[in-house]
């Protein structure tokens, strides 16, 4: 599991010569900061990309592909949330509303001005980023649970405004849009093409997240996350960086919202209310906000679990709750952390078998 | 021994013939997408129940004779879990993976609209009961190249239902009150369906001379007492609960405890469920059903229908009568297929549905689709006597000829 948290060097459990008792600690530790070899990162990325690209060719059916599209655009929104929570430590439970800003901006531009997917996309993303920044202003004065409550209130307010927005927002009935404007030779009405469009956006989100994670900017965000006062004392402009990451998060959310809009081709306020927002927070915690593939893993778990186990909504919520409890108790870094830890444990074991008490051949 | 051999030969020949007959029956795949779990389960269950009963009856009667072949309906029922993403995935599966010829469902406006964007391009017929589809079913949408050309609304236009309901409620309640009712409060869930329905119902009540106040509650509300207390302060003659039966069954007892009004109207609550739950009120209470009510209807064919419907294991829900918005259309669709003589010509089936009619359980007069793919039929309104759970007085109200002033139809 490639990491995006490289600020502190080897702060997690080291795989060298671990005793069995320590093995459990290793498996449950948050090893986000433990760097993986570049080869492992590259192989993981290639395998994952290959699998995702090949998905429509595996004959899994349209139902599977539809849920895969839902999973991917959700994951794109989660990468924004992952950045602000995993890197900067700012949690939000109103992230679906930010996606809604993007989706509604694009839909309104389509209905009112006739702008299509490609032309409305940058405006929608920019508006989501601006709104993300505006909501983030209170974080300059308050943090933690106070900001979480603010995001929840924003979410509720957003739904109320949409529901009572008359013909401009389509009220509770919502708004309709046409198909994604075709590119030469590519008609996005075809489900597999729609999938590749969302997949391309996911790759962009993944690449941006990775680059931010390994950049000076990412390290600065993590410094703020770990100790805001200390970061401020060493001359970091904390306010600017906080607003910056919330705006970047808004960009991701806007992109996800527009993709959602053009996949469903009909949106209504309920898609961006409290429940969808809580689900996004749940997904990012389940998957692991500090891990590159954590948000994607979280989206896969929440979208596919009811499908695979044929769970009713109430049963699914119970299952999510149990999963979240297990993750908090056993894998505080999320499932992404667990997968990485398994790799580290196997590597440690192999290296121990290979010779030397220090685990190195 | 010889007799035994002869007997075996006869049995074998019989089996072979039976197998041959079975082989002669082709399968007509039909999809059903409905909430069998989640918050819309009460409405969703009615679609599944109606589909199961209709398919069984059609198959038991020998199937559908199309050209020189006989088709038995094979239902593919998918639970949308009251989730639009699952609805879309299910629609994709039914249309693209299975290749159904028609889909019945869903129970929600948003879901039906998103689904129509999949069924339309694939030329799969869609029968949805949402009257709110009237907001999008227009000349352009239902044209041959329109995105709703293959979608049919199996519920009357909302101004028609609202008009007949308002008239029926007022005519039943007026003799029960000390003075003719003048002030109505419409209490409705603030979601897509609620907004659409109440916009028409308010106009219909105003057309009947009522002063109307609209009070909306957020979807999924469970404690209605603050809003009901506010309504009590308005001193209404009638409180009209629209539209979600489950919410109404939660709010209505709270209203009775608070003594909010001297009379009530409960939309989306069948007399049958009122009786099942032994609800009682010391004031007159009315209910309405489109098309006819479960639990009180005097018509033998309606009683027979509900006996068979529940006999097949359908759940007794607040809006079981809604199943009739789906049941008759299976037979009508089968009739259109037989007339067209092909199952792979959806355009011809659409044309046939638009020019034909069907006399089903729903209405004493045959059902007809208008040019916007909507049907017209009456509404049954019932009143339960105060302090009883099972003494109903019902009347069938025909829809008005035209929308009331200020209502643009739809």
């Amino acid at each position: 599991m490639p990491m995006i948290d490289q600020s502190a060097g080897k702060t997690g459990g080291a795989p060298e010569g671990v005793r069995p008792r320590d093995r459990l600690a290793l498996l449950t530790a948050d090893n986000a900061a433990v760097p993986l070899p570049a080869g492992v990162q590259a192989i993981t990325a290639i395998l994952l990309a290959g699998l995702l690209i090949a998905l429509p060719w595996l004959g899994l059916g349209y139902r599977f592909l539809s849920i895969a599209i839902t999973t991917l655009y959700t994951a794109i929104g989660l990468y924004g949330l992952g950045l602000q929570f995993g890197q900067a430590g700012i949690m939000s439970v109103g992230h679906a509303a930010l996606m809604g800003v993007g989706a509604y901006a694009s839909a309104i531009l389509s209905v009112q001005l006739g702008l299509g997917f490609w032309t409305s996309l940058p405006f929608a993303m920019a508006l989501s980023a601006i709104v993300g920044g505006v909501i983030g202003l209170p974080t300059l004065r308050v943090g933690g649970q106070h900001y979480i409550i603010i995001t929840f209130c924003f979410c509720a307010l957003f739904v109320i405004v949409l529901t009572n927005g008359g013909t401009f927002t389509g009220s509770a009935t919502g708004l309709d849009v046409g198909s994604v404007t075709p590119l030469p030779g590519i008609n996005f009405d075809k489900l597999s093409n729609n999938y590749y469009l969302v997949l391309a956006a996911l790759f962009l989100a993944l690449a941006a997240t990775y680059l931010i994670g390994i950049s000076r900017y990412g390290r600065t965000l993590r410094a703020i996350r770990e100790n805001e006062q200390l970061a401020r004392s060493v001359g970091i402009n904390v306010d600017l960086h906080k607003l910056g990451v919330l705006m970047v998060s808004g960009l991701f959310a806007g992109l996800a919202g527009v993709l959602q809009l053009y996949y469903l081709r009909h949106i209504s306020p309920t898609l961006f209310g409290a429940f969808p927002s809580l689900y996004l927070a749940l997904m990012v915690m389940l998957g692991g906000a500090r891990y590159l593939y954590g948000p994607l893993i979280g989206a896969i778990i929440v979208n596919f679990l009811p499908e695979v186990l044929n769970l009713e909504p109430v049963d699914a919520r119970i299952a999510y709750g149990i999963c979240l409890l297990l993750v908090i108790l056993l894998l505080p870094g999320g499932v992404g952390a667990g997968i990485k830890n398994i790799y580290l444990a196997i590597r440690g074991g192999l290296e121990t078998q290979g010779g030397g008490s220090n685990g190195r051949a | 021994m010889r007799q035994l051999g002869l007997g075996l030969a006869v049995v074998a020949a019989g089996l072979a013939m039976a197998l041959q007959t079975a082989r002669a029956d082709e399968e007509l795949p039909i999809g059903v997408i409905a909430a069998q779990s989640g918050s819309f389960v009460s409405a969703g269950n009615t679609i599944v129940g109606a589909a199961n009963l209709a398919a069984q009856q059609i198959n038991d009667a020998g199937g559908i004779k199309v050209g020189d072949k006989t088709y038995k309906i094979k239902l593919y029922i998918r639970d949308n879990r009251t989730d639009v993403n699952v609805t879309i995935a299910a629609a994709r599966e039914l249309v693209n993976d299975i290749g159904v010829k028609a889909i019945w469902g869903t129970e929600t406006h948003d879901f039906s609209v998103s689904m129509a964007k999949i069924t339309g391009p694939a030329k799969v017929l869609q029968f949805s009961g949402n009257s709110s589809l009237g907001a999008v079913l227009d000349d352009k949408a239902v044209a041959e190249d329109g995105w709703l050309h293959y979608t049919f609304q199996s519920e009357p236009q909302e101004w028609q239902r609202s008009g007949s309901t308002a008239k029926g409620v007022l005519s039943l309640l007026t003799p029960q009150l000390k003075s003719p009712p003048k002030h109505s409060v419409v209490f409705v869930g603030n979601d897509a369906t609620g907004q659409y329905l109440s916009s028409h119902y308010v106009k219909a009540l105003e057309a009947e001379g009522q002063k109307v106040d609209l009070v909306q509650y957020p979807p999924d509300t469970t404690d209605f007492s603050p809003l009901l207390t506010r309504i009590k302060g308005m001193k209404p003659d009638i409180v009209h609960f629209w539209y979600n039966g489950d919410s109404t069954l939660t709010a209505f007892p709270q209203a009775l405890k608070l003594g909010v009004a001297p009379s009530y109207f409960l939309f989306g609550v069948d007399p049958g469920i009122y009786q099942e739950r032994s609800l009682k009120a010391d004031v007159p209470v009315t209910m309405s059903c489109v098309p006819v009510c479960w639990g009180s209807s005097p018509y033998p064919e309606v009683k027979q229908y509900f006996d068979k419907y529940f006999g097949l294991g359908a759940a007794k829900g607040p809006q079981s009568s809604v199943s009739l918005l789906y049941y008759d259309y299976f037979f009508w669709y089968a009739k259109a297929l037989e007339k067209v003589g092909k199952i792979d010509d959806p355009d011809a089936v659409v044309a046939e549905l638009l020019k034909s009619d069907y006399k089903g359980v729903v209405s004493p007069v045959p059902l007809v689709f208008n040019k916007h793919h909507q049907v017209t039929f009456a509404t049954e309104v019932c009143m339960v006597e105060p302090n009883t759970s099972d003494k109903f007085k019902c009347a069938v109200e025909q829809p008005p000829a035209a929308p009331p002033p200020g209502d643009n139809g739809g």
Side-chain angles (χ1 to χ4, degrees), chain A residues 61-63 66-67 70 73 163-164 171-173 176-177 189 191 263-266 268 270-271 306-307 310-313, chain B residues 36-38 78-79 81 84-86 88-90 92-93 96-97 109-110 113-114 117 136 147 190-192 195-196 216:
Chain A
Y62 279 77
R63 185 186 179 98
S66 298
I67 294 171
T70 305
Y73 72 65
T163 307
N164 298 285
S171 299
T173 309
D176 290 280
V177 295
D189 280 341
L191 195 63
Y263 168 63
L264 299 175
R265 293 176 59 194
H266 174 84
S268 60
T270 49
L271 291 169
E307 193 66 18
N310 197 23
L311 296 176
E312 291 190 0
Chain B
Q36 293 177 280
S37 53
R78 296 293 179 267
D79 178 7
R81 300 185 197 132
V84 68
N85 289 312
V86 180
I88 297 289
R92 289 277 184 195
E93 179 196 6
N96 300 114
D97 292 335
H109 174 84
D110 293 348
V113 167
S114 290
K117 294 185 174 179
V136 286
W147 67 284
N190 192 11
D191 61 14
Q195 284 188 354
Y196 183 79
Q216 294 171 312

Side-chain angles (χ1 to χ4, degrees), chain B residues 127-284:
Chain B
F127 294 89
S128 297
N130 326 106
S131 68
S132 49
L133 283 172
V136 286
L137 284 165
D138 55 26
D139 288 343
K140 194 179 167 195
V142 300
E144 281 187 20
D145 56 348
W147 67 284
L148 291 169
H149 182 64
Y150 302 94
T151 298
F152 288 84
Q153 178 187 314
S154 56
E155 195 171 44
Q157 294 172 78
E158 194 48 49
W159 63 267
Q160 293 182 331
R161 174 167 65 176
S162 285
S164 52
T165 304
K167 199 174 168 189
V169 169
L170 292 170
S171 63
L172 282 171
L173 285 179
T174 300
Q176 304 294 319
L177 299 171
K178 288 174 188 165
S179 57
K182 290 178 182 167
H183 182 203
S184 283
V185 171
V186 177
F187 191 44
V188 64
N190 192 11
D191 61 14
T193 310
Q195 284 188 354
Y196 183 79
L197 267 55
S198 59
S199 70
H200 290 279
Y201 191 58
V202 167
K203 296 278 187 308
L205 285 171
E206 286 172 346
E208 295 290 332
Q210 292 290 294
K211 173 186 173 290
V212 185
D213 285 306
L214 179 71
V215 178
Q216 294 171 312
Y217 60 83
D220 301 324
T221 300
T222 50
D223 180 7
F224 293 90
S225 51
L227 288 169
L228 289 170
T229 306
R230 190 179 131 209
I231 294 171
K232 187 178 179 182
M234 297 175 176
K235 301 190 183 307
D237 297 315
I238 309 170
V239 171
H240 306 252
F241 288 89
W242 277 70
Y243 69 98
N244 184 317
D246 291 307
S247 295
T248 298
L249 284 174
T250 308
F252 175 59
Q254 295 177 25
L256 286 179
K257 273 186 188 168
L258 291 167
V260 173
S263 64
Y264 298 95
F265 165 61
L266 315 179
F267 178 85
V269 175
D270 280 346
I273 202 75
Y274 195 91
Q275 191 176 340
E276 286 276 322
R277 297 201 180 182
S278 303
L279 294 171
K280 275 181 192 165
D282 55 0
V283 291

